Amino acid sequence: MTTSTATTMSPEQRVTTVFQLLQNANKKGYMGEKVTQLEHALQAAQLAKKDGADEETILAALLHDIGHFCPLADRCGGTHDKGLDACHKTETTMDIGVIDHDKAGALYLHKLGFPKKTCELIESHVLAKRYLSAKDPTYQMGLSTASEQSLKLRGGPLTPTEIRDFEKDPLFKQKVQIRKWDDAAKVIGAKPPALDTYRDMAIRNLKLVI
């Protein structure tokens, strides 16, 4: 999907496209966890909403892993804001999915016209894992095998300089919170609201983007 193609689609069509990817993910395991990708996404969004997050942040929680299954051709290229990579690795393994799924998902949603804040939060949820791993030794001990492997592939815990830089980010607290919801959204048998609960929210936010 090119940027021009995305802009010719209505907000409703764009949301349907993204939500279908999530719906298809209900058939896919969540990298060693006992919940599906869709269940994980819905739990993360539910946690964000329960904690009083704004709509852009709730959408980021819902879509934070979209880069694992958005079309390969849509993960690179296109016009985008400074801060989103023009291209990135798309290496995959059976266990950890798309290594740069945070960047892939952010770029994909940016091309579809999702809010800048939503894309920035998604782009940083792996960085936040590296931050938490550096700040709290017990955090890394609680990661799944796949998550720990991806942490190593993405550079491991942040350095002291990287920590200071990240803490200066205006969205720092929200980026860390996205990660915490991500980590908590793995409850077997949970019954979060259905995906369509967020359809109007997503359409509304796409219409707000100029």
Side-chain angles (χ1 to χ4, degrees):
M1 179 191 305
T2 64
T3 302
S4 59
T5 300
T7 57
T8 63
M9 297 168 63
S10 69
E12 291 81 3
Q13 289 173 320
R14 282 176 271 164
V15 170
T16 294
T17 297
V18 174
F19 277 26
Q20 188 59 56
L21 291 175
L22 274 182
Q23 195 63 57
N24 293 343
N26 196 38
K27 305 170 187 176
K28 301 179 181 179
Y30 176 51
M31 292 166 285
E33 305 292 345
K34 295 183 179 180
V35 295
T36 67
Q37 288 275 10
L38 177 59
E39 290 169 336
H40 173 64
L42 293 176
Q43 287 186 36
Q46 182 184 36
L47 290 169
K49 189 172 183 179
K50 181 179 178 181
D51 285 350
D54 60 40
E55 290 190 347
E56 292 168 309
T57 303
I58 293 171
L59 289 173
L62 177 70
L63 302 174
H64 70 276
D65 277 342
I66 199 73
H68 279 304
F69 29 85
C70 64
L72 177 62
D74 293 334
R75 295 179 194 154
C76 281
T79 302
H80 50 278
D81 293 336
K82 182 179 179 181
L84 296 181
D85 289 346
C87 198
H88 50 274
K89 296 179 294 182
T90 53
E91 302 173 55
T92 62
T93 71
M94 184 178 295
D95 294 325
I96 64 175
V98 177
I99 295 174
D100 281 359
H101 70 281
D102 48 340
K103 298 180 184 297
L107 181 54
Y108 173 64
L109 294 176
H110 174 82
K111 289 167 66 176
L112 283 174
F114 276 78
K116 181 179 179 181
K117 179 179 178 180
T118 298
C119 298
E120 288 186 3
L121 293 176
I122 289 171
E123 188 185 24
S124 296
H125 77 276
V126 173
L127 179 64
K129 177 171 70 172
R130 296 180 62 206
Y131 172 81
L132 289 170
S133 296
K135 294 290 286 187
D136 181 5
T138 63
Y139 173 82
Q140 190 171 347
M141 294 171 57
L143 295 176
S144 66
T145 300
S147 189
E148 189 170 3
Q149 183 182 359
S150 69
L151 173 66
K152 293 178 181 177
L153 289 170
R154 291 300 297 276
L158 295 183
T159 66
T161 298
E162 290 172 329
I163 288 173
R164 289 192 294 272
D165 289 342
F166 186 42
E167 290 176 340
K168 295 175 184 176
D169 190 315
L171 292 176
F172 162 69
K173 291 183 179 180
Q174 288 159 290
K175 289 179 176 181
V176 171
Q177 188 59 63
I178 287 284
R179 184 71 225 181
K180 291 181 177 179
W181 292 324
D182 182 358
D183 292 332
K186 303 174 183 179
V187 179
I188 301 170
K191 302 292 183 182
L195 180 57
D196 270 349
T197 302
Y198 304 98
R199 182 175 295 276
D200 287 345
M201 179 188 297
I203 292 171
R204 182 165 56 249
N205 276 269
L206 278 173
K207 288 181 177 180
L208 288 173
V209 175
I210 300 175

